[in-house]
Amino acid sequence: MSRVLPAEGGLRRIIGDGHAIPDGEVDLTADQHRDLYRRLVLLRTYDERSLVYHRQGRIGTYAIFWNHEAMQAGSEFALELRDWIFPSYRESAIGILRGMAVSTVLSWWRGHPAGWWDPQELGVASICVPIGTHVPHAVGFAWGSKLRGEDRVAIAYFGDGATSEGSFHEGATFAGVMKAPVVLFCNNNQWAISTPIESQTAAATLVEKAAGYGMPGVRVDGADVLAVYDATRDAVVRARAGEGPTFIEAVTYRSAPHATADDPTLYIDEERVAEEKENECVGRYQRYLERLGILDDAQVEEVKQEALAVMRKGIAQAEAEPPADPGLVFEHAYAEPPPALADDLAELRRVLDG
Ligand SMILES: Cc1ncc(C[n+]2csc(CCOP(=O)(O)OP(=O)(O)O)c2C)c(N)n1
Ligand SMILES: [Mg+2]
């Protein structure tokens, strides 16, 4: 069974434990803290409701991101709206932090075209399901923005498994050489489905790979939203100053199944999952804000109810979409579709209508 990396100590942290480990500080106002908390809860609620919707047959296979919220909300909080996000399936809902309708993301998981969006609208690229192929996209985008004299940073999110992929290597090499204003954000949840990190790489940490691409690397506690924010902000400042890319390794331990189709009891370290759940990122930040006296029970309840209402509206809107035309499945792949596709479509329509 996989345990935590030996080098898991020494992670950058800001949130203490309220006892022996002291809290650090970050330069945010009380209002910004509450805004960040609201974002964290919105993602958590999105994720928990999505699992329920999946079990009710209302969305398809779903990649759970429970306890990855701090990595997503913390890093996004360090960006400006003009910066671009390149998400993987694990960050499917990150657009809602920028005002994307929840129904859009739910529609994506329903396999409905209402789940397609124009990346230019909110600076959120399409969700990337192939592992790591969006890393060169983000790097190319960032380099292109630099050539055009735009002040834009790109961030690509990917997992530990992605660091073994050719596209990660190509993208990171290119980013380093061209000094592209990009943040390579690795969620190291220590599993690529059932492949543990020690089978993924012989390196003691993922962050040390950064040196090979000529860029700095930072390791943070992935469940500490403030440490993630702080590290990403530093990376964004570097990128804007023309100093090039940064690799961030945010370390966590995947405490939910890879996706709704997975049974992790066959391979995961259950004790370690229990520890992670005990120390999950939303509760950790909530307790920190309570210690600072800038969040109380009534506000916690209000934020939760607001997020639940957003989700109720989102699923109602997604389900109100008229069924998509099955013909869409066959579009956008070929300029001149081969004749066999027309036969397949006719067969599909016959089955659906029958
Ligand atoms: C190019 C490619 N190969 C294989 C897969 C199948 N696959 C889906 S998720 C996954 C594991 C990825 O693990 P990691 O990069 O650690 O991301 P995580 O799911 O843990 O966030 C694999 C191999 C894929 N989607 N794309
Ligand atoms: Mg992983």
Side-chain angles (χ1 to χ4, degrees):
M1 281 289 143
S2 170
R3 293 291 298 181
V4 16
L5 284 174
E8 194 171 305
L11 297 174
R12 191 150 145 183
R13 287 199 176 93
I14 290 185
I15 302 180
D17 66 355
H19 306 286
I21 306 171
D23 290 327
E25 278 179 20
V26 67
D27 189 14
L28 291 177
T29 63
D31 278 347
Q32 286 174 315
H33 272 301
R34 282 189 288 262
D35 186 22
L36 182 53
Y37 175 73
R38 193 184 55 77
R39 288 153 177 268
L40 213 50
V41 172
L42 182 59
L43 286 180
R44 171 62 54 87
T45 310
Y46 178 96
D47 185 71
E48 290 185 345
R49 292 309 301 160
S50 289
L51 192 54
V52 173
Y53 297 151
H54 168 77
R55 288 186 177 142
Q56 293 171 338
R58 300 163 84 180
I59 65 169
T61 302
Y62 169 67
I64 304 152
F65 57 78
W66 198 91
N67 206 29
H68 284 57
E69 299 91 341
M71 296 187 263
Q72 301 175 11
S75 53
E76 198 280 336
F77 208 59
L79 304 174
E80 299 292 336
L81 270 178
R82 64 182 180 281
D83 299 328
W84 270 52
I85 296 171
F86 290 75
S88 84
Y89 50 83
R90 192 70 70 205
E91 296 79 28
S92 64
I94 199 161
I96 66 177
L97 300 177
R98 291 192 158 188
M100 184 179 287
V102 159
S103 58
T104 302
V105 191
L106 289 170
S107 292
W108 191 87
W109 287 109
R110 284 165 63 77
H112 192 284
W116 301 342
W117 63 79
D118 177 354
Q120 309 238 27
E121 275 173 19
L122 293 167
V124 183
S126 308
I127 297 167
C128 188
V129 177
I131 305 303
T133 56
H134 56 314
V135 177
H137 300 169
V139 173
F141 176 90
W143 184 44
S145 299
K146 184 178 162 180
L147 290 177
R148 292 162 71 159
E150 299 166 348
D151 178 24
R152 283 183 210 277
V153 173
I155 185 167
Y157 293 93
F158 51 89
D160 41 295
T163 62
S164 301
E165 288 285 343
S167 358
F168 165 75
H169 174 66
E170 288 148 20
T173 298
F174 203 73
V177 172
M178 307 318 275
K179 282 203 180 305
V182 66
V183 183
L184 301 181
F185 192 104
C186 178
N187 97 62
N188 176 6
N189 61 14
Q190 310 195 38
W191 291 94
I193 312 184
S194 56
T195 302
I197 186 75
E198 57 268 28
S199 305
Q200 194 66 249
T201 179
T205 68
L206 294 178
V207 78
E208 60 204 66
K209 293 180 185 243
Y213 301 107
M215 66 179 83
V218 193
R219 281 187 107 224
V220 295
D221 180 339
D224 181 336
V225 69
L226 296 180
V228 170
Y229 163 72
D230 202 46
T232 314
R233 195 187 44 184
D234 287 353
V236 168
V237 167
R238 281 195 72 246
R240 288 205 205 290
E243 291 167 30
T246 303
F247 180 87
I248 297 177
E249 178 188 358
V251 182
T252 181
Y253 187 87
R254 208 192 69 218
S255 35
H258 167 74
T260 46
D262 175 40
D263 176 8
T265 59
L266 296 170
Y267 60 84
I268 209 110
D269 179 342
E270 306 263 19
E271 266 176 50
R272 184 62 215 278
V273 168
E275 275 171 38
E276 283 296 315
K277 287 187 170 166
E278 188 75 12
N279 214 11
E280 55 77 27
C281 64
V282 179
R284 243 168 105 177
Y285 189 38
Q286 186 179 316
R287 291 190 293 277
Y288 172 87
L289 295 179
E290 287 166 349
R291 285 198 290 280
L292 287 185
I294 54 181
L295 192 71
D296 60 29
D297 289 353
Q299 287 165 324
V300 167
E301 189 56 25
E302 189 188 319
V303 167
K304 185 173 152 195
Q305 291 307 326
E306 185 198 334
L308 283 169
V310 166
M311 290 308 298
R312 276 194 294 274
K313 187 172 154 212
I315 191 73
Q317 280 176 341
E319 289 182 330
E321 287 291 338
D325 176 2
L328 285 171
V329 171
F330 297 87
E331 285 183 15
H332 306 300
Y334 294 95
E336 289 170 31
L341 279 192
D343 297 344
D344 289 349
L345 176 57
E347 174 70 6
L348 181 61
R349 288 201 195 283
R350 197 185 55 73
V351 170
L352 291 175
D353 294 344

